[in-house]
Amino acid sequence: MKTKTSANLDDVFFPRNVAIIGASPGVAYPLALLGGKLRDRLFMVNPNSTEVFGRKSYASILDIAEPVDYVILTLPAKYAVQAVRECVQKGVKAIHSFTSGFSETGLKEGIEMEKELVSIVKGKARLIGPNCMGIYCPKSGLSFNPASTHEEGHIGVISQSGTFAQFFIHAGRSRNVKISKIVSYGNAADLDCPDFLEYLADDSDTRVIALYIEGIKDGRRLKSALEYAGSKKPVIALKGGVTGQGGRVASSHTGALAGAGETWATMFRQAEVVQVDDFDDLLNAAVALNDSPLPAGKGVSIITYSGGFSVVQTDMCVKAGLDIPQFSAKAVEELRKFVPVSGTMVGNPLDAWQLFYKYEEKDGTLKDVLRIIAGEKDVHSIILQFDVIRFMLNMWGDKFEEYFAAVAEKVLQGCHYARESGKLVIVSMFLDPFAENEIERKYNLLFKKRLESEGFPVYPTLNDAVRTVASIYKYTEMRRKKLLQTG
Amino acid sequence: MKTKTSANLDDVFFPRNVAIIGASPGVAYPLALLGGKLRDRLFMVNPNSTEVFGRKSYASILDIAEPVDYVILTLPAKYAVQAVRECVQKGVKAIHSFTSGFSETGLKEGIEMEKELVSIVKGKARLIGPNCMGIYCPKSGLSFNPASTHEEGHIGVISQSGTFAQFFIHAGRSRNVKISKIVSYGNAADLDCPDFLEYLADDSDTRVIALYIEGIKDGRRLKSALEYAGSKKPVIALKGGVTGQGGRVASSHTGALAGAGETWATMFRQAEVVQVDDFDDLLNAAVALNDSPLPAGKGVSIITYSGGFSVVQTDMCVKAGLDIPQFSAKAVEELRKFVPVSGTMVGNPLDAWQLFYKYEEKDGTLKDVLRIIAGEKDVHSIILQFDVIRFMLNMWGDKFEEYFAAVAEKVLQGCHYARESGKLVIVSMFLDPFAENEIERKYNLLFKKRLESEGFPVYPTLNDAVRTVASIYKYTEMRRKKLLQTG
């Protein structure tokens, strides 16, 4: 039985009200919070204003009559110590310092000030940061970005980098990333990564945890928290600073010692945490783990319109530790009944561009392809490369909406069938971010949202899809081995 | 001295006129050619029509009074043999068969038909394909895609995959890919990859060659052609089917034996050809090699607004064989004069988000950052991560256009200065393809085009930028070693 050591953080994530010290239209927090559930329990504090966004602005937190649970500091660093003293005096339970200029500067003055903040709050309040974005929690209303959807979901994020925390917020709109909680924890002067890991491990609203970490003060404590979280739910981790040079940069970013890449890899493996190499992989894996079935093995089938992609992506899969198994004779025979001979490959990957344009037929459509492939016992995940809307627009002209609606239905029926057969189904949909084709973009986004609303992850490139399947397979494989060991 | 063996292919790339056999509004070729220089020297052949796009349609090529240099076959495979016989009778010099259904099917009938095509043209005409997109040559007017810009450039492309050839066409509009010639050569029944390699090696309009290849019939001939081309200009190659499973798929795609990955890697290395792993890398490297200075070493500096990206991308650079050197004490001292202490890292990478928003100051802007970093002798390439337009729009509101114009000028001046100092300068500009923010997209694309028009490559992600610098460094390193060997 894994154990945890941290305090309950409900007071941190679910304050009854919030004050922003240093509130002004120039910082993101007032708008971020006005968009969520705390909008009517929000106090602005700024001695240089009388109001901010139409709300009364107090000169000091001590001027607020009501009790205050949670404070966001956005004032210059030199005023932070005094502000934190006043927060403690006021009885605030949690203080988040967006304000930077502390230990991360590497300067003696900043390091001393950070120590002072910690000694002031000790035993009285919890401190988040300094030098971080803080908390996003749609269920309570906390947020750090006006672009937040405030939609409640099941992906938990813990990030030592503020930028990556922001990217998860933006992905809430564009990548179907539905969040339970995001924590950007910066210098971790008080609350640190292990505290948040253990809290999210026990949080019933969180199904999967995405972690970005650069370094840690207490390695044993992190190891224990990772093992606790890893035993409870899927955890995906991106470790920044795995190379010597990256470690040097990490230590000047958050002041933490990055340590050797191999040590971290071992720690993650032992905790059944999937380590990824890249931010996109972290985000993509979290989306797929949120509500897709786990594949029972490493067999992948790719359904595509391109021989070139078939070849290159098979290489990608193999390099990523996956397998592109050959289809059974029976499946090949069934497929040959309706896949044209010319310009196609009846095998795995299945390259049959003509089928993407079949809207009329009752039989022999992509639906049947998905059904037949879902029946293959060596195939555990299916990737459908659906980049063809631009060609359909050219080919079908005025008839596009009618014909495409028919194709879309068949594809969705096939995807549902495959998922009900226990397969992980992922769609890749390429849209060049630099291409100026708004009509193409519009129809792609409509179909993407439809797929997502029915629970299928959609990624912008085939590489994203392959790498995500690889991450998830890695997770299932670690679970399987662990169960065998403990079995 | 490298030698070549192939015939001159000017007759193939520069026909005086073209006939499309099987012309109809449903195939891409009539529109593709009507958009270019051959529009008035174009014959439609289709016994089932009287006209195609308002042009007279002939029942047979033999009915055309004028001589015909080049024919595109888009009719069903079963009519191809007869059509090719008529072409030879007519004195056609080059026949491109888009028509598929030959050796790539793996069926006896298709293999036999392909042999017959070859025996008919032998000594009389050259055959491109079958089962391929054919040729795009803006200078002559040949094309296979109505989306072609027909703009003349200096990137040559040879692709065994039709899809990848098409992607280069689309990238003509979105990725500043200016083409001299593209060849999609498919089954290579007659003209094969080595023929095109040697032709593009000697082509004064082609500065860089991008190659996608799956397999080859005559390995010695390919080796010799690669060495010839590699001695003349930069060649970037993506080999499809480097893994066992990928090789199996490749052989069913184009019928060619893929061979062992290591054998190919050795051949590329010996020919000074840079091998990449992915289609995006192929395209991106071609763009940068087209008109950027070659970096003199592996030192990279990244200018960013994010500590998280600083750390992760340093790891990426190191893993890709690059180096993120520390700045000299002098550069750090100069930078410290204007980079704020709080929330930044004065080092390499340089993480200083505030500087991206400096529009007014005469000193201490991104222009000065670029100037100072360009002065560092250990820095050979500079990557500027410019993803900040969305934040500027929020921050500046009505003043955005005015302030951004000032920032843009400073950035451009700095980029020019760095390039004049001999540095490879690349901009990464992230635009989420699935994000619905047309205003953000508009301003990003405007700035992207400005940067490109002044000769700076722009990539959609920082990973693209890092991987491209790695490809180009690999090329310069191979050249350097070769020059040392040959003294």
Side-chain angles (χ1 to χ4, degrees), chain A residues 406-429:
Chain A
V407 170
E409 282 316 311
K410 290 180 203 304
V411 168
L412 279 159
Q413 287 165 12
C415 287
H416 278 290
Y417 181 90
R419 190 171 53 186
E420 282 153 23
S421 312
K423 313 297 181 182
L424 170 63
V425 179
I426 287 181
V427 178
S428 91
M429 192 183 282

Side-chain angles (χ1 to χ4, degrees), chain A residues 227-444:
Chain A
E227 285 172 2
Y228 183 73
S231 72
K232 296 272 182 172
K233 53 193 69 169
V235 182
I236 320 291
L238 172 60
K239 165 69 176 80
V242 288
T243 62
Q245 293 190 0
R248 164 179 55 80
V249 179
S251 96
S252 87
H253 180 213
T254 44
L257 280 176
E262 195 38 56
T263 311
W264 284 82
T266 305
M267 179 166 62
F268 289 134
R269 204 164 41 239
Q270 285 172 350
E272 294 165 74
V273 168
V274 176
Q275 187 179 6
V276 295
D277 291 333
D278 193 7
F279 177 74
D280 287 342
D281 293 341
L282 184 68
L283 188 128
N284 291 338
V287 170
L289 281 165
N290 183 34
D291 61 3
S292 290
L294 295 173
K298 65 178 170 179
V300 179
S301 179
I302 299 176
I303 303 168
T304 174
Y305 59 91
S306 158
F309 275 116
S310 297
V311 175
V312 172
Q313 294 298 326
T314 298
D315 284 339
M316 288 275 172
C317 282
V318 173
K319 287 181 195 169
L322 300 168
D323 188 45
I324 302 282
Q326 289 190 266
F327 291 151
S328 66
K330 184 167 155 287
V332 170
E333 190 189 329
E334 277 194 83
L335 289 164
R336 278 206 199 283
K337 284 181 191 156
F338 58 87
V339 177
V341 169
S342 174
T344 63
M345 288 195 281
V346 178
N348 189 16
L350 178 74
D351 163 23
W353 63 271
Q354 300 94 333
L355 301 186
F356 287 81
Y357 303 94
K358 279 188 140 180
Y359 53 90
E360 270 189 316
E361 290 83 348
K362 283 205 176 59
D363 300 311
T365 67
L366 284 176
K367 177 181 165 185
D368 302 290
V369 165
L370 281 154
R371 178 182 52 75
I372 293 165
I373 294 178
E376 290 293 278
K377 71 171 176 32
D378 294 341
V379 171
H380 310 104
S381 303
I382 299 176
I383 299 173
L384 173 66
Q385 184 185 22
F386 201 92
D387 307 340
V388 291
I389 287 179
R390 66 176 157 193
F391 303 115
M392 290 173 166
L393 284 162
N394 284 337
M395 191 182 292
W396 290 336
D398 290 349
K399 290 286 187 185
F400 170 80
E401 292 209 3
E402 178 189 336
Y403 295 173
F404 181 65
V407 170
E409 282 316 311
K410 290 180 203 304
V411 168
L412 279 159
Q413 287 165 12
C415 287
H416 278 290
Y417 181 90
R419 190 171 53 186
E420 282 153 23
S421 312
K423 313 297 181 182
L424 170 63
V425 179
I426 287 181
V427 178
S428 91
M429 192 183 282
F430 176 69
L431 262 179
D432 188 334
F434 290 155
E436 293 172 272
N437 187 334
E438 297 317 317
I439 295 171
E440 184 190 325
R441 183 175 306 283
K442 173 185 144 188
Y443 287 111
N444 273 286

Side-chain angles (χ1 to χ4, degrees), chain A residues 174 241 245 323 432 436 449, chain B residues 174 245 315 323 432 436 449:
Chain A
S174 58
Q245 293 190 0
D323 188 45
D432 188 334
E436 293 172 272
K449 285 178 193 163
Chain B
S174 59
Q245 292 190 359
D315 284 339
D323 189 45
D432 188 334
E436 292 171 272
K449 285 179 192 162

Side-chain angles (χ1 to χ4, degrees), chain B residues 392-411:
Chain B
M392 291 172 166
L393 284 161
N394 284 336
M395 189 181 292
W396 290 337
D398 288 350
K399 290 287 188 183
F400 169 81
E401 292 208 4
E402 179 189 336
Y403 293 173
F404 182 66
V407 170
E409 281 316 309
K410 291 181 204 303
V411 168

Side-chain angles (χ1 to χ4, degrees), chain B residues 268-327:
Chain B
F268 288 134
R269 204 163 42 238
Q270 285 174 350
E272 294 166 74
V273 167
V274 176
Q275 187 179 4
V276 293
D277 291 333
D278 194 7
F279 177 75
D280 286 343
D281 294 341
L282 184 69
L283 189 129
N284 291 338
V287 171
L289 282 165
N290 183 34
D291 61 3
S292 290
L294 295 173
K298 64 177 169 180
V300 179
S301 179
I302 299 176
I303 303 169
T304 174
Y305 59 91
S306 158
F309 275 118
S310 296
V311 175
V312 172
Q313 293 299 324
T314 298
D315 284 339
M316 288 275 174
C317 282
V318 172
K319 287 180 195 169
L322 300 169
D323 189 45
I324 302 283
Q326 290 191 265
F327 291 152

